[in-house]
């Protein structure tokens, strides 16, 4: 039976890996719609390669370019919010959600429809509004399957036992490009150095999040919502080889782990098909050839974003929403060379502490989450260097 798929964030790193998985299994999947940000040529190419019926760009100004790029293909194109929502609304069995950042929340939430599966890569949806998102998914009978490699591994490990017997669920971190650097050297790093990830090839925002270890912090919050595990039962382990992705420690001391070579096509294929695995023509894990796997605790002194995210998870309420928003603004500024590496954690910390006294409750609706998100972004922007070039930090 062919299953229909809509891909949100089709032109990105996860979107392109998803296209590879689908192209290797044309008999299994049919693509209904593809959604991208602003690159008309790239979206049109993916739409044609995948034989999609509809292509939507978020950027309204790119509508003419998209229509032109699709001329003669028989694929309808549209741009702007309404077009993105039309793409999400069209009949599809699976929606693969891989827009980067909080921009993914509204379309991914709108994709929750009875009987559907959401293959979720956009972790920021859960960090910003996880309570609402998961409650709505449960209410509507939507299966949320994690694409994030650590959560995909945990999903399978957790399925081998019962939730009450879980002592601890651990996600691994490769440690990013600065794992072995001193704090002084990291302080002078620029966006190019921070983007040179030793293991994964990813989009620009998650690359920086991996260098600060905020990515792992966001993933702890993601795991909390996906698996309903409180902060005390979630942990992070640095594992540079990125072969073991997630581990579950059970109440009898046994550990179940999920292993795979670091290639996002593995968890993507799994999230599309779940228990019934696809055949993937990828290199196989050869542990004898690898010989040695190493592990170390994360260093929260050099990577303070991880402790900030842990604190936000523990504090609960709207703190994860606030942390996530401040981080997005700070990461954008770092990529634009407007601030230094440790200004990212500094901005996040300052914004979180500004809001902590207000004890804002966890968002009760997506609109609520987006309102808190905007407030926190505004506060983060105030901390950015002023136009004269003098930093306020
Ligand atoms: P990316 O930057 O490569 O791609 C992002 C995609 O989103 C692009 O198609 C872009 O055009 C689209 N987009 C951006 N803004 C948009 C908007 N406002 N409306 C519609 N589309 C928009 O990012 P990525 O690395 O593919 O990551 C995507 C998501 O998956 C992120 O949430 C990331 O944390 C998560 N993720 C990525 C990886 C990885 O290996 N890349 C692994 C795990 C999880
Ligand atoms: Mg991950």
């Amino acid at each position: 039976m062919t299953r229909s798929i809509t891909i949100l964030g089709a032109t990105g790193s996860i979107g392109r890996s998803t296209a590879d998985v689908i192209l290797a299994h044309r008999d299994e999947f049919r693509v209904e719609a593809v959604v991208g940000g602003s690159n008309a040529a790239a979206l049109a190419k993916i739409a044609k390669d995948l034989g999609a019926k509809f292509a939507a760009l978020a950027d309204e100004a790119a509508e003419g370019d998209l229509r032109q790029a699709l001329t003669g293909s028989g694929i309808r194109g549209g741009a702007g919010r309404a077009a993105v929502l039309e793409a999400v609304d069209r009949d599809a069995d699976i929606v693969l959600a891989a827009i980067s950042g909080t921009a993914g929340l509204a379309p991914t939430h709108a994709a929750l429809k009875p009987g559907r599966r959401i293959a979720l890569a956009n972790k920021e949806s859960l960090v910003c509004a996880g309570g609402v998102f998961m409650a709505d998914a449960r209410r509507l009978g939507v299966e949320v399957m994690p694409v994030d490699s650590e959560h995909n591994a945990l999903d399978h490990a957790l399925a081998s036992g019962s939730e009450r017997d879980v002592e601890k669920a651990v996600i691994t971190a490769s440690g990013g490009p600065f794992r072995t650097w001193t704090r002084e050297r990291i302080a002078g790093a620029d966006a190019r150095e921070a983007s040179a990830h030793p293991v994964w090839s990813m989009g620009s925002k998650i690359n920086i999040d991996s260098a600060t270890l905020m990515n792992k912090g966001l993933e702890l919050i993601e795991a909390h919502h996906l698996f309903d595990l409180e902060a005390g039962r979630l942990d992070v382990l640095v594992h540079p080889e990125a072969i073991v992705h997630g581990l579950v420690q059970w109440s009898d001391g046994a550990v179940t782990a999920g292993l795979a070579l670091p290639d996002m096509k593995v968890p993507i294929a799994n999230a599309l098909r779940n228990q019934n695995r696809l055949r993937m023509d990828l290199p196989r894990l050869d542990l004898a050839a690898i010989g040695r796997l190493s592990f170390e605790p994360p260093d929260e002194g050099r990577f303070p974003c991880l402790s900030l995210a842990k604190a936000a998870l523990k504090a609960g309420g709207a703190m994860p929403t606030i942390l996530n928003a401040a981080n997005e603004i700070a990461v954008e500024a770092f990529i634009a060379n407007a601030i230094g590496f440790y200004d990212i954690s500094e901005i996040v910390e300052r914004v979180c502490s500004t809001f902590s006294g207000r004890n804002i409750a966890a968002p009760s609706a997506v609109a609520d989450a987006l309102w808190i998100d905007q407030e926190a972004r505004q506060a983060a922007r105030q901390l950015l260097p002023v136009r004269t070039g003098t930093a306020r930090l």
Side-chain angles (χ1 to χ4, degrees):
M1 192 187 77
T2 322
R3 308 205 77 200
S4 52
I5 301 189
T6 285
I7 308 173
L8 311 181
T11 56
S13 163
I14 293 288
R16 292 192 308 272
S17 292
T18 303
D20 289 344
V21 173
I22 292 171
L23 289 171
H25 292 279
R26 299 241 53 161
D27 50 328
E28 292 255 354
F29 303 110
R30 180 181 70 66
V31 176
E32 180 64 30
V34 287
V35 171
S38 56
N39 189 335
L43 188 70
K45 178 165 186 329
I46 284 189
K48 288 185 212 168
D49 289 349
L50 293 173
K53 292 189 183 157
F54 184 62
L57 278 177
D59 180 4
E60 223 160 318
E63 180 151 26
D65 289 348
L66 180 64
R67 292 244 163 94
Q68 193 169 8
L70 289 171
T71 307
S73 67
I75 303 168
R76 208 161 66 74
R81 216 173 100 86
V84 171
L85 289 178
E86 181 188 337
V88 162
D89 208 40
R90 293 171 72 106
D91 266 350
D93 301 315
I94 306 168
V95 172
L96 185 124
I99 292 173
S100 162
T102 307
L105 172 60
T108 307
H109 183 261
L112 296 175
K113 285 183 157 203
R116 253 187 190 173
R117 174 182 304 165
I118 304 287
L120 186 72
N122 177 233
K123 65 194 81 182
E124 293 90 347
S125 286
L126 292 185
V127 179
C128 181
V132 177
F133 190 95
M134 293 307 289
D136 287 348
R138 272 191 293 273
R139 183 172 52 78
L140 294 165
V142 178
E143 185 189 9
V144 178
M145 232 356 240
V147 166
D148 220 342
S149 49
E150 300 77 4
H151 306 73
N152 193 270
L154 279 186
D155 193 75
H156 289 274
L158 287 165
S160 67
S162 134
E163 197 260 308
R164 64 165 195 276
D165 297 331
V166 176
E167 226 166 56
K168 209 160 68 164
V170 182
I171 54 175
T172 63
S174 70
F178 303 148
R179 182 178 64 86
T180 58
W181 289 30
T182 61
R183 195 185 158 95
E184 293 66 39
R185 192 171 166 215
I186 297 173
D190 62 16
R192 192 185 46 80
E193 291 167 306
S195 301
H197 199 278
V199 182
W200 302 98
S201 148
M202 309 178 288
S204 55
K205 194 239 168 197
I206 184 172
N207 255 334
I208 306 301
D209 285 345
S210 297
T212 61
L213 289 201
M214 180 60 94
N215 184 49
K216 229 29 68 175
L218 300 180
E219 289 185 355
L220 285 175
I221 302 170
E222 179 186 14
H224 161 71
H225 291 295
L226 282 170
F227 308 122
D228 213 6
L229 291 171
E230 67 282 6
R233 283 200 288 171
L234 292 167
D235 213 347
V236 173
L237 187 61
V238 173
H239 167 45
E241 295 84 3
I243 299 292
V244 180
H245 301 285
L247 309 97
V248 174
Q249 182 182 300
W250 303 100
S251 52
D252 59 359
V255 173
T256 307
L259 284 71
L261 285 171
D263 184 331
M264 287 307 293
K265 290 198 271 302
V266 176
I268 290 169
N270 183 257
L272 297 184
R273 260 283 215 93
N274 202 3
Q275 306 300 347
N276 206 352
R277 288 179 185 264
L278 278 173
R279 183 162 179 80
M280 294 297 294
D281 190 13
L282 296 170
R284 297 306 189 230
L285 175 61
D286 182 347
L287 285 173
I290 293 169
R292 185 172 180 278
L293 297 178
S294 48
F295 301 91
E296 62 198 43
D299 178 349
E300 293 177 27
R302 282 181 304 138
F303 301 104
C305 281
L306 179 57
S307 19
L308 292 170
K310 282 183 175 174
L313 172 59
K314 245 181 165 167
M319 281 324 274
T321 314
I322 291 158
L323 168 106
N324 179 60
N327 181 57
E328 282 198 24
I329 294 298
V331 168
E332 263 173 41
F334 177 69
I335 291 174
N337 278 324
I339 60 170
F341 188 81
Y342 282 119
D343 293 333
I344 299 176
S345 47
E346 178 81 24
I347 289 174
V348 173
E349 184 169 13
R350 286 211 204 173
V351 173
C352 287
S353 67
T354 304
F355 281 84
S356 69
R358 286 168 58 182
N359 287 326
I360 305 175
S364 55
V366 167
D368 196 16
L370 292 175
W371 182 82
I372 298 165
D373 173 85
Q374 285 305 324
E375 291 274 298
R377 276 167 198 266
Q378 194 48 37
R381 282 194 199 99
Q382 307 259 316
L383 296 171
L384 293 178
V386 287
R387 242 176 280 142
T388 56
T390 334
R392 284 196 201 147
L393 286 170

